[in-house]
Amino acid sequence: MEALFTRPRLSSTLSFKPFQNPNSSKRNPTSVSFRNATTSVRACVATEAQTGQAAALKRVEVLSEALPFIQKFRGKTMVVKYGGAAMKLPHLRESVIRDLVLLSCVGMRMVLVHGGGPEINSWLKKIGVEAQFIDGLRVTDEVTMEVVEMVLVGKVNKSLVSLIDLAGATAVGLCGKDAGLIRARPAPNAAALGYVGEVSKVNPAILHPIIANGHIPVIASVAADQSGQAYNINADTAAGEIAAAVGAEKLILLTDVPGILEDKNDLSSLVKEIDIGGIRKMVEDGKVAGGMIPKVECCVKSLTQGVHTASIIDGRLPHSLLLEILTNEGAGTMIRS
């Protein structure tokens, strides 16, 4: 029993370090290094937190600055013609789709009208047909018209609808044939151009319930005449006529140029804002020429039919739609009535 209460003896091999006062100036080097490392980590974490907070604050400020524009345009209809580089380059395509969805989510009524020239050219090449143009308009024979309709209505249109749906909104794919949305007639030079048409009239009845229920109509610029013959319609023209028919607040044409330039050789001469009289004078003076003339004519016609403003913007700029609608700076040229 005595052994049970006997304290164990300390081994003679054990050694004890002298007591070290924690307040002593002589510190263990390892302890100092650890403390320095801890301080550095804390400093880095604090810096990252401050940087993240600053970035978050900047985003909040941008949203706050957009509020007056959101309030102004909430419930208003915006018709966007989509084409050019913004359609061809993946990062710009994503940017346009996200912009459309964001604007729709904050209460704007978005309508998307599209062409698809490069895609049409690609498919014509696959079947051995060479694309031909006269004054910038596609020569459209029977075979070409069939390809145009299949590509624009069956491929490009449904691809855009899917992208919008994936981004969080709901889109409805249409073309001018659906519900008599666009009635076409032959272009004046139809003998040379073939099945290239003009807009005879627009019946927006199919669009009103779609727009009112918060969906985004996506419209391919193919239409038919009274006999049912299909025609290839210029997408800018189709967008302008649709904007007038639905009483749009804005018509926006996405292009591959900065906008309208006072001097075509000087990018810094961008005209930010101009009225109908001013733009007509620029056309008369030869400052607006070539492919820009039909775009300007389309804008002017829509303005005379009640659209409030028409903009020709640089679709090569990421988020050009947001820049145009939610800032004072814009992303190109705005024409007003």
Side-chain angles (χ1 to χ4, degrees):
M1 290 294 293
E2 184 179 352
L4 293 175
F5 296 98
T6 303
R7 292 181 181 180
R9 294 182 180 179
L10 295 176
S11 170
S12 60
T13 60
L14 293 177
S15 61
F16 295 91
K17 293 182 180 179
F19 172 76
Q20 186 178 49
N21 185 351
N23 297 318
S24 170
S25 60
K26 294 180 180 181
R27 298 293 178 89
N28 186 327
T30 303
S31 174
V32 172
S33 299
F34 177 76
R35 290 174 183 273
N36 289 342
T38 303
T39 303
S40 298
V41 168
R42 286 174 177 169
C44 289
V45 169
T47 301
E48 288 178 4
Q50 291 171 356
T51 303
Q53 188 176 31
L57 181 59
K58 182 64 177 176
R59 289 194 295 270
V60 170
E61 287 175 352
V62 169
L63 288 172
S64 178
E65 289 170 3
L67 178 60
F69 298 95
I70 293 172
Q71 291 171 323
K72 179 179 179 180
F73 297 127
R74 182 176 176 81
K76 302 295 178 63
T77 301
M78 312 281 178
V79 176
V80 178
K81 183 268 176 171
Y82 178 47
M87 179 175 277
K88 291 181 286 186
L89 300 177
H91 72 285
L92 292 178
R93 183 166 58 241
E94 181 183 357
S95 169
V96 170
I97 296 300
R98 288 176 65 85
D99 288 1
L100 276 171
V101 172
L102 189 154
L103 293 168
S104 176
C105 286
V106 296
M108 296 177 208
R109 300 179 170 189
M110 307 305 297
V111 177
L112 187 67
V113 181
H114 69 87
E119 193 82 21
I120 294 169
N121 293 342
S122 173
W123 281 92
L124 286 174
K125 187 176 180 180
K126 288 178 182 180
I127 63 172
V129 176
E130 183 179 353
Q132 298 179 41
F133 296 86
I134 297 176
D135 297 330
L137 296 175
R138 183 185 300 278
V139 177
T140 309
D141 59 15
E142 190 172 347
V143 172
T144 302
M145 186 64 237
E146 189 173 355
V147 172
V148 167
E149 187 164 6
M150 286 191 298
V151 171
L152 292 189
V153 181
K155 188 175 188 298
V156 175
N157 186 270
K158 302 315 171 193
S159 173
L160 291 172
V161 168
S162 295
L163 289 171
I164 291 170
D165 287 349
L166 285 171
T170 54
V172 178
L174 301 165
C175 76
K177 285 184 171 184
D178 294 315
L181 174 57
I182 300 174
R183 178 64 55 81
R185 62 170 177 254
N189 50 348
L193 290 172
Y195 297 110
V196 173
E198 292 183 336
V199 176
S200 173
K201 68 175 182 178
V202 175
N203 178 7
I206 187 64
L207 297 180
H208 292 314
I210 295 172
I211 295 170
N213 283 288
H215 307 307
I216 301 175
V218 180
I219 305 166
S221 56
V222 171
D225 64 12
Q226 288 183 331
S227 68
Q229 172 60 53
Y231 282 89
N232 182 18
I233 306 289
N234 178 275
D236 292 330
T237 302
E241 295 290 348
I242 289 170
V246 298
E249 175 75 18
K250 284 181 176 289
L251 167 66
I252 301 174
L253 307 183
L254 289 169
T255 69
D256 290 343
V257 296
I260 297 171
L261 303 177
E262 182 73 27
D263 178 356
K264 64 180 180 180
N265 298 315
D266 182 5
L267 295 178
S268 67
S269 67
L270 175 66
V271 178
K272 288 279 191 179
E273 188 173 337
I274 193 169
D275 61 18
I276 291 178
I279 198 66
R280 283 177 171 161
K281 188 173 188 311
M282 288 186 72
V283 173
E284 291 172 3
D285 294 344
K287 293 180 179 180
V288 175
M292 186 59 73
I293 290 179
K295 294 183 185 299
V296 166
E297 290 176 345
C298 159
C299 291
V300 169
K301 186 176 181 182
S302 69
L303 292 171
T304 60
Q305 293 177 310
V307 177
H308 289 187
T309 65
S311 299
I312 298 172
I313 71 171
D314 193 347
R316 300 167 301 178
L317 292 174
H319 301 295
S320 54
L321 278 178
L322 297 186
L323 287 169
E324 181 62 26
I325 295 173
L326 299 183
T327 72
N328 282 321
E329 289 73 17
T333 300
M334 183 176 74
I335 308 170
R336 62 182 189 278
S337 57

